[in-house]
Each structure stands twice: as structure tokens, then as C-alpha cells.
Amino acid sequence: MITATRLEAATAAVTVLSNRPEVTDWAQRYFGSWWNATDVGADTVSDADHAVIADVKLAAYEEITSLVHDGRPTEEVSYAKHSLLVARDGDDIMAASLEEEVAYRSTPSAGRLVLAGADVQPLALAASRLARESIRGQLLRDGWAVLHSSAVVRPDDGATLLTFGGKGAGKTTTAVLLASNGWQLLANDRVLVRPTGERDVEVVPWPSAAAVGLGLLHSLGWDATAREHLEAGGSFHPTQHESVTEALLAGEHAPLWNGVKQERKVQVFPDQFPDLFDLPLSTGGRAAGLLFPQVDADSTPDVSYGTRTLGEGDFMSGATEDRYPDVFGLARGVDGGGRESARAEVVSRLAELPHRAVRLSHDIPASAAVLCKVADSI
């Protein structure tokens, strides 16, 4: 039996189909209300629809993989932290990941991606990644851009605050604290934006697992809930490192680091924010202000002087920290951060909105109070 889940975001749509319900269930859970995920009949999907067809089928995986390795020119790329060998067959783009045991065949002109895998879990992850990339490709071609920003929405009027900064600046902390105090969480790391009307910038979410540090989880009082969830047989996103799970179960909240001094964090599914932590989600809004936080552990939280303007590094393109290069031709040549004209117009319009620099600390109540004061002034 073939199952199907349809995703819709702004002007884009794609349907995930599979011979295993676990694959479409994963897409349903991962994108949820953020991208209007709904179960549909497989027979309702037409040849004109954008589709990701992902089957657990060893013979098909081996067939595509053998074509990739049959001596034709190939390119090795890093995709979602996995090595991917990419080749062409006419207008089609083929790829194989031996590590994941997933093979791909993309027909960009038709908006179709065929995936075949040996095991359901890596296939489900790959299918959702490609469904998200299909949506992104459609939106980029339709004048949208991708900002490296967290975002929260005021439910009364859709006003959206965008938070910028490098790793460790406090983008996720800012979003989570505001969403715990009357706002709704739109995104924790990146958003899709488009100039609309005369001066507005429309914002929609980019669904992804959110990385929350053990210290922040403890400060928010969420660690007990997370531990109870694990003890009851639940789990977090499979990209979460085993040491983080062990720390949660042991009641430890000191930061954990990998060999390159990057913090290992709890990887929260989008649907776990409302279900586990009572944090409401939003499906879209209108940009109303920009926040530039900086975390200084021992400082007194406050509004700080000076801000910065947006630059190319604030867009998620291949030139920045983009883990998903468009190897399957889904954007058809449009830069991963959006067309230059779209990015320029977004920057111009956002420049007219209030900018606030905020100093945060590990004093969560004090940091939340400052953020709420700033947010209420915008």
C-alpha cells in the first residue's frame, strides 16, 4: 500500500509518497502544522505535482547506485553531513550515499525525486530533507529568500521579531524565552522571507530540529520533563548524540563538547515544543523588528548600545553555513539564499524596522524580562 503526505508552505507544495507508512508518518510529524502536513490519497497525486517518492526497495537502491558507479563522471559532495556521490544520466541527476544506503534520482524539470533505500529510518530522514528542499526550491524561484535567523510571532497581530547572530549569540535562547512569554515560535535557526505589498516582509517557518543546550534546558525547567519523556520510552531527534541522552537521564546539565569544541545539545522535534514544553508554534507572520542578542554569562541583562546591519552572511546560501547544497537541481540555478534582487529588497525593507541589541546572561528570568520589555516596545 502506498501512503502519501502533502506539505504546503506559502505558494509551494510537495507530496511525499512511500511503500512504508513510517516514511510519510515521519514527514507528517516533522513538518506538522508549520507546513500544513496532511495525509492524502496516493491516487490524488498527478504527474504535474511536485513529489518525493521514497521506497524501501533494495533492488532499486542497488540499481541506482550501480549507475552512479558505472564509470561516468561523478562529484563527491557533503550533504546533511553525509558523503554523497553525484552523477548525471541525461537530464536526470543521480546520487548515492553508501553510509546511509540511500540512492536518489532527480528529474528537476518535472519536480520529481525518486529515493530508494535499504532501511526505513535513514530513508525517512532523507525523504523529509528532500521534501523540504523541494519546497525551498519552489519558493526561491518564486522570489523568496532564506535568512539565518530565529523568529517569534505575536499572536494578536502577526508581528514577527527576527533574531540574528553567529553561533552562540543567543538566537535560540531569545526565541525560546519570548515564546515562553506570550509569543509563538516560528523558527529557531532560519526562516523563509519574501517582500510583499509596498514595504512588508512576509515570514514563514523553515521546519527543523532545534538544538537546545543542556544548561538552557535546565534553566527553563524543562530537563525534568525531558527526562520523564525518555524514561517513558520516548526519544528526541535521532541526530542527538548518545552522551546528551545519557546526561538527561542522569540529571546532569553541564555543557557537553565534541572534539572541535562544538556543544552537543538536545535535538528537539518541532512537535515536541508544544507537546512536551507547552511552547506554541506559529505558521507565519510579518517582520516587525530585528534583535541582535549577545550572551555574556556573568553580565546583567540589558539593552545594549549599537547594532549591526544585515549582510550576505545572514542569508543561508552555499557561501555560508548551508548543509544542503542544491545538488538535485531543485532551485534550478537560484542561489540557496534567494535571488540577489530578492535578498537586496529584503535587506532594504528590514533596514527600516526597529533594531535592538540585547545583552543576555545565564540568569534566565532577568534575560526574559529584558527581552519582553524590548519586544513590547516594537
Side-chain angles (χ1 to χ4, degrees):
M1 177 181 176
I2 304 298
T3 58
T5 293
R6 182 175 175 84
L7 312 173
E8 297 178 337
T11 56
V14 65
T15 304
V16 180
L17 302 98
S18 181
N19 63 351
R20 294 289 294 271
E22 297 96 325
V23 174
T24 50
D25 287 348
W26 184 275
Q28 175 78 250
R29 177 187 184 185
Y30 199 83
F31 298 105
S33 61
W34 260 346
W35 275 5
N36 305 295
T38 54
D39 291 330
V40 297
D43 58 353
T44 66
V45 183
S46 72
D47 291 341
D49 292 333
H50 291 270
V52 174
I53 304 162
D55 290 335
V56 178
K57 192 177 293 185
L58 183 59
Y61 162 71
E62 292 175 341
E63 178 184 356
I64 298 174
T65 301
S66 66
L67 287 173
V68 172
H69 289 85
D70 70 354
R72 69 187 69 212
T74 59
E75 178 186 7
E76 186 173 0
V77 300
S78 176
Y79 191 87
K81 297 185 178 180
H82 294 287
S83 177
L84 202 63
L85 198 62
V86 183
R88 286 190 170 272
D89 184 19
D91 292 334
D92 283 6
I93 301 167
M94 303 181 301
S97 170
L98 298 181
E99 182 181 355
E100 297 176 288
E101 290 188 297
V102 176
Y104 308 79
R105 190 178 191 106
S106 172
T107 307
S109 60
R112 292 263 157 163
L113 289 124
V114 174
L115 282 68
D119 184 60
V120 66
Q121 183 62 56
L123 184 68
L125 285 167
S128 287
R129 281 196 300 263
L130 268 297
R132 188 171 57 189
E133 289 305 300
S134 176
I135 292 282
R136 171 160 74 163
Q138 294 174 58
L139 292 179
L140 291 178
R141 300 196 308 272
D142 199 28
W144 291 74
V146 185
L147 280 174
H148 190 193
S149 165
S150 68
V152 292
V153 176
R154 188 162 54 205
D156 292 344
D157 58 5
T160 302
L161 297 181
L162 301 170
T163 302
F164 297 88
K167 287 184 179 298
K171 293 191 300 297
T172 297
T173 299
T174 297
V176 166
L177 291 182
L178 285 172
S180 299
N181 288 275
W183 294 69
Q184 296 175 335
L185 181 65
L186 184 76
N188 73 289
D189 186 61
R190 62 185 79 183
V191 292
L192 288 147
V193 290
R194 179 181 67 170
T196 184
E198 291 187 4
R199 297 308 306 165
D200 285 343
V201 175
E202 184 180 358
V203 189
V204 299
W206 170 276
S208 67
V212 181
L214 287 167
L216 177 59
L217 201 79
H218 174 71
S219 298
L220 290 165
W222 292 358
D223 50 342
T225 301
R227 182 168 59 255
E228 292 169 2
H229 174 67
L230 292 172
E231 290 173 342
S235 62
F236 290 98
H237 194 275
T239 56
Q240 179 171 298
H241 196 273
E242 184 179 350
S243 64
V244 176
T245 303
E246 292 171 352
L248 285 171
L249 289 169
E252 300 170 354
H253 51 82
L256 298 174
W257 305 91
N258 64 14
V260 294
K261 279 296 180 181
Q262 185 175 21
E263 187 177 358
R264 290 173 174 159
K265 298 182 179 182
V266 182
Q267 300 293 325
V268 183
F269 274 107
D271 69 343
Q272 290 176 327
F273 279 116
D275 293 349
L276 284 181
F277 305 124
D278 197 29
L279 211 67
L281 303 182
S282 175
T283 59
R286 169 189 50 80
L290 283 65
L291 300 177
F292 299 90
Q294 187 60 53
V295 176
D296 183 350
D298 300 319
S299 69
T300 299
D302 199 359
V303 178
S304 58
Y305 292 101
T307 61
R308 66 173 178 83
T309 57
L310 298 188
E312 281 299 308
D314 292 303
F315 290 91
M316 297 302 300
S317 66
T320 57
E321 183 272 330
D322 198 341
R323 294 174 306 204
Y324 310 102
D326 189 24
V327 296
F328 298 105
L330 301 176
R332 301 184 199 174
V334 179
D335 182 85
R339 289 190 175 94
E340 185 177 349
S341 57
R343 299 198 305 269
E345 184 61 21
V346 166
V347 168
S348 173
R349 295 189 180 196
L350 292 182
E352 298 179 4
L353 300 178
H355 290 46
R356 300 287 188 273
V358 186
R359 184 173 59 248
L360 307 177
S361 75
H362 287 179
D363 184 337
I364 293 301
S367 294
V370 167
L371 285 170
C372 289
K373 181 179 178 180
V374 170
D376 288 343
S377 72
I378 294 178

